[in-house]
Amino acid sequence: MEFKEDILYYELLNSQTIYNLLNIFHKETGLLINIFDLQGFIHINFFPDQSQNPFCETIQECRHFQITCSNEDIFKMGKEAIILKKPLPYICSSGLTDIVTPVLIKDVHIGNFITGQFRTSNQPESNFKEMLMSFPDKSKIKLLTKYYYSTRVLSDRDLIKVTDILSFMGNYVSTYGENFIYDYRNKFQGNDIIGRTKNYIRGNYQD
């Protein structure tokens, strides 16, 4: 596996096509999503109607947990996902489920899609309970508990669907990225990826 930083890859991460792709995913699934480069920087700002889960917002008011969340998503789990070369669902240290999807172009790892902040049907609560025990502001324990149990729950079937969609998106970005790099001077727009992704999500997530 080759790890590389290149200005054209960062141009790709900043492109309107990637923005449109993430926006389609969010509108069709209702899930938050973003793309991070290998240094942990966000290249597409959250869309206006994407608000972070209040559970996560409250946790990240504590600097220690904010750093833990970022390092876990972007670095630790991102490295595991790139070994598998496919989306990796996992339970975060605070007890919610996230999915990291590596973005590859010609076997070059340029970043990760990250979506999540939901619960699953049979999800264990051990991480959540351990987080509560160590959370420094005890006055927020009841609020965190309320937010946790009001967090959206995905069925096992929907989790599989979302993971499949992310695989599809990752593969298409790989193909689009090769065209983007090859045809950069002509400002390749990648309209095909948008239409095909929208049809795929609507056909596979909403059946």
Side-chain angles (χ1 to χ4, degrees), residues 53 55-60 62 64-70 72-73 90-98 117-119 123-135 144-145 147-149 151:
N53 186 322
F55 175 79
C56 297
E57 282 185 342
T58 305
I59 287 175
Q60 292 178 16
C62 172
H64 167 74
F65 284 94
Q66 184 183 53
I67 294 171
T68 299
C69 289
S70 297
E72 186 174 50
D73 276 346
Y90 68 98
I91 300 175
C92 76
S93 58
S94 295
L96 297 186
T97 296
D98 289 336
Q117 298 184 359
F118 57 83
R119 296 163 55 209
Q123 182 168 312
E125 298 181 356
S126 53
N127 287 14
F128 167 63
K129 292 176 179 178
E130 288 177 11
M131 181 278 297
L132 286 183
M133 291 180 63
S134 62
F135 197 76
L144 284 169
T145 302
Y147 287 153
Y148 178 81
Y149 287 110
T151 293

Side-chain angles (χ1 to χ4, degrees), residues 8 18 25 44-45 61 81 109 116 147 152 205:
L8 293 185
I18 298 300
F25 176 89
I44 302 292
N45 289 327
E61 290 174 3
H109 184 202
Y147 287 153
R152 177 179 174 183
Y205 187 72

Side-chain angles (χ1 to χ4, degrees), residues 25-123:
F25 176 89
H26 170 60
K27 288 183 175 179
E28 297 296 333
T29 66
L31 296 174
L32 301 173
I33 189 167
N34 221 312
I35 189 167
F36 293 77
D37 66 25
L38 300 185
Q39 304 305 312
F41 294 109
I42 297 174
H43 279 257
I44 302 292
N45 289 327
F46 281 109
F47 310 106
D49 60 339
Q50 284 204 70
S51 56
Q52 191 176 28
N53 186 322
F55 175 79
C56 297
E57 282 185 342
T58 305
I59 287 175
Q60 292 178 16
E61 290 174 3
C62 172
R63 178 66 175 164
H64 167 74
F65 284 94
Q66 184 183 53
I67 294 171
T68 299
C69 289
S70 297
N71 288 342
E72 186 174 50
D73 276 346
I74 298 165
F75 300 114
K76 182 176 182 292
M77 303 312 298
K79 288 180 180 179
E80 292 192 25
I82 192 59
I83 293 172
L84 298 174
K85 292 188 179 181
K86 64 180 183 180
L88 176 63
Y90 68 98
I91 300 175
C92 76
S93 58
S94 295
L96 297 186
T97 296
D98 289 336
I99 306 174
V100 175
T101 304
V103 179
L104 299 161
I105 299 178
K106 294 183 177 178
D107 268 350
V108 178
H109 184 202
I110 66 168
N112 300 298
F113 291 134
I114 298 180
T115 187
Q117 298 184 359
F118 57 83
R119 296 163 55 209
T120 57
S121 302
N122 302 309
Q123 182 168 312

Side-chain angles (χ1 to χ4, degrees), residues 140-197:
K140 293 184 177 178
I141 297 302
K142 287 185 179 180
L143 187 62
L144 284 169
T145 302
K146 173 186 174 183
Y147 287 153
Y148 178 81
Y149 287 110
S150 63
T151 293
R152 177 179 174 183
V153 177
L154 252 63
S155 67
D156 292 341
R157 183 168 178 263
D158 280 347
L159 179 61
I160 292 172
K161 287 183 180 181
V162 169
T163 304
D164 287 345
I165 289 167
L166 288 167
S167 292
F168 180 88
M169 287 171 56
N171 290 335
Y172 253 76
V173 169
S174 177
T175 301
Y176 165 63
E178 292 182 16
N179 289 330
F180 183 91
I181 301 303
Y182 178 79
D183 218 11
Y184 177 73
R185 294 184 184 279
N186 297 325
K187 300 296 181 183
F188 181 78
Q189 295 300 309
N191 292 324
D192 182 57
I193 185 177
I194 301 304
R196 287 179 178 267
T197 300

